[in-house]
Amino acid sequence: LLPRRTASTLTTTLYIPRAQSHPHQHFATRQNPTLPRRRIKIYPPVAAPPTRDPISALTASQIRTLDPSGTRAELFSRHNPQAIRPGDIVYVRRKNGEPFSGVLLDIRRRGVDTAILLRDHLTKLGVEMWLKVYSPIIDSINLVQRKEKMARRAKLYYMRYPKHDFGPVRGIVSDWVRKSYVAAKKGSTDKAGQDAGRKGQKAKKAK
């Protein structure tokens, strides 16, 4: 046998006699066989995500939180034939300020950040305001008057020019608010009369 040689301190090399094998042929064993075998920990595969589009799922959950009844989402839905469209007159009530009304120029659909652009006139000066549809500050969004003919464009920025400007909508909105108040008052009166009639019938039956 030839003298045993070690390639390094951690690797042992075993040589076979020259008569049985090639003189330069050798077989390497595992590193430092005196140490115990190291067990590699195998982790289970990662669970698949519940959805392939987490951004859409997060947006839908936020909209459900801000609009539980789904009224505002339906009010500006593309698939709703009665939805509010550009050119309509809209009246918006806010919790921390005065209401604002105007002609709808643009609807920016961005999920939770969906907003509408309204244009009105104050002291003969055109004023525009962006309002977030799902904002907690918004109390209600009401349709006052529809455009006579459906607009062919989705953004009515040409109404900023004097030739196509609609003008102030204060008179139209005031009439709508007055009619809504009268209708609500009449409904409450009718309901009170019905309740009184029912109480009178119950009293007669009791006698």
Side-chain angles (χ1 to χ4, degrees):
L1 295 176
L2 295 177
R4 180 177 297 179
R5 298 178 182 179
T6 57
S8 64
T9 57
L10 299 178
T11 305
T12 57
T13 306
L14 177 64
Y15 286 93
I16 300 177
R18 184 178 300 178
Q20 299 179 7
S21 177
H22 194 272
H24 299 289
Q25 184 177 2
H26 65 278
F27 301 92
T29 61
R30 67 185 182 90
Q31 295 181 354
N32 200 352
T34 58
L35 297 177
R37 290 181 177 272
R38 185 178 62 179
R39 301 295 178 181
I40 300 175
K41 188 176 182 180
I42 300 176
Y43 295 91
V46 180
T51 177
R52 295 186 178 181
D53 193 359
I55 301 299
S56 299
L58 178 61
T59 302
S61 64
Q62 290 177 344
I63 291 176
R64 286 194 299 268
T65 303
L66 297 173
D67 185 23
S69 61
T71 305
R72 298 185 185 180
E74 189 69 16
L75 198 60
F76 295 94
S77 175
R78 298 180 187 269
H79 308 287
N80 183 15
Q82 303 299 328
I84 297 178
R85 296 184 177 87
D88 299 342
I89 298 177
V90 181
Y91 180 72
V92 180
R93 290 190 179 93
R94 295 180 294 174
K95 297 180 181 178
N96 62 344
E98 296 182 358
F100 189 84
S101 58
V103 181
L104 181 61
L105 299 185
D106 186 13
I107 302 175
R108 185 176 62 190
R109 294 179 174 87
R110 296 291 186 275
V112 183
D113 294 330
T114 299
I116 57 177
L117 178 62
L118 301 181
R119 177 179 176 83
D120 193 10
H121 278 251
L122 298 176
T123 62
K124 299 181 181 181
L125 181 65
V127 179
E128 296 181 2
M129 181 181 294
W130 280 101
L131 298 170
K132 296 294 185 70
V133 174
Y134 299 108
S135 174
I137 300 174
I138 302 299
D139 190 15
S140 63
I141 302 175
N142 303 288
L143 175 63
V144 177
Q145 180 180 329
R146 287 195 177 276
K147 187 177 175 60
E148 295 180 0
K149 295 182 180 180
M150 185 180 297
R152 296 183 179 180
R153 302 181 183 181
K155 300 179 181 180
L156 308 182
Y157 292 149
Y158 65 87
M159 297 186 69
R160 293 172 176 172
Y161 297 100
K163 181 179 177 180
H164 305 284
D165 199 352
F166 189 85
V169 298
R170 182 179 302 176
I172 300 173
V173 173
S174 299
D175 294 342
W176 178 84
V177 171
R178 190 184 307 109
K179 292 178 181 179
S180 301
Y181 176 75
V182 171
K185 188 175 181 180
K186 183 178 179 181
S188 61
T189 305
D190 295 344
K191 186 177 180 180
Q194 291 177 2
D195 294 342
R198 291 174 184 174
K199 290 181 180 179
Q201 290 179 1
K202 289 182 180 179
K204 288 181 181 179
K205 290 180 180 180
K207 292 180 179 180

